[in-house]
Amino acid sequence: MKRWLMDILACPAKDCRSELGLEVFESHDIETGDGTVEEIDAALITCPKCGRWYPVIDGIACMLPDDLRMEGKQRREETAFLENWKGKIDDDILENGMPFGLQPES
Ligand SMILES: [Zn+2]
């Protein structure tokens, strides 16, 4: 995703629609006719209002409703994302993130 996309994205959660925060983990520059654009490959998007987080995986911002994130392949992919970047993600998101965080190994 392009960094400028953050300027138009809002939290998709119903009754939230807040502006979002962005923490970039991996990105690369792309040359365009008008100069250089930063393409973000991996990042964490956070909502300061409702506490939700959204991953950018392989350049794609995954901003799905909670019920589509809670199970199946999406849950596994997003959990793998948290696992992968947990060293760079706030403990608050890992422990209390919405709609889920990283469950301690049981
Ligand atoms: Zn929100």
Side-chain angles (χ1 to χ4, degrees):
M1 64 173 272
K2 307 291 188 291
R3 187 179 277 274
W4 58 258
L5 200 59
M6 286 307 293
D7 295 340
I8 57 170
L9 284 180
C11 181
K14 201 167 177 282
D15 303 327
C16 183
R17 315 287 174 195
S18 171
E19 286 183 28
L20 298 164
L22 175 71
E23 196 171 342
V24 176
F25 302 141
E26 275 181 1
S27 69
H28 64 277
D29 289 337
I30 296 177
E31 294 296 332
T32 70
D34 309 315
T36 316
V37 175
E38 183 182 14
E39 173 72 24
I40 296 169
D41 300 302
L44 181 72
I45 297 170
T46 52
C47 178
K49 189 171 162 193
C50 70
R52 283 185 178 75
W53 60 274
Y54 305 94
V56 178
I57 301 173
D58 294 336
I60 297 172
C62 306
M63 303 180 74
L64 297 168
D66 291 354
D67 56 337
L68 295 180
R69 302 176 64 186
M70 289 306 290
E71 46 195 60
K73 178 165 168 279
Q74 195 64 35
R75 174 74 181 252
R76 285 197 297 279
E77 282 186 8
E78 296 194 15
T79 300
F81 171 87
L82 289 181
E83 237 353 291
N84 195 25
W85 297 106
K86 63 183 175 188
K88 298 187 171 196
I89 297 175
D90 274 0
D91 287 346
D92 195 42
I93 297 279
L94 295 175
E95 288 165 23
N96 309 311
M98 288 281 289
F100 59 86
L102 265 190
Q103 312 300 328
E105 305 281 332
S106 54

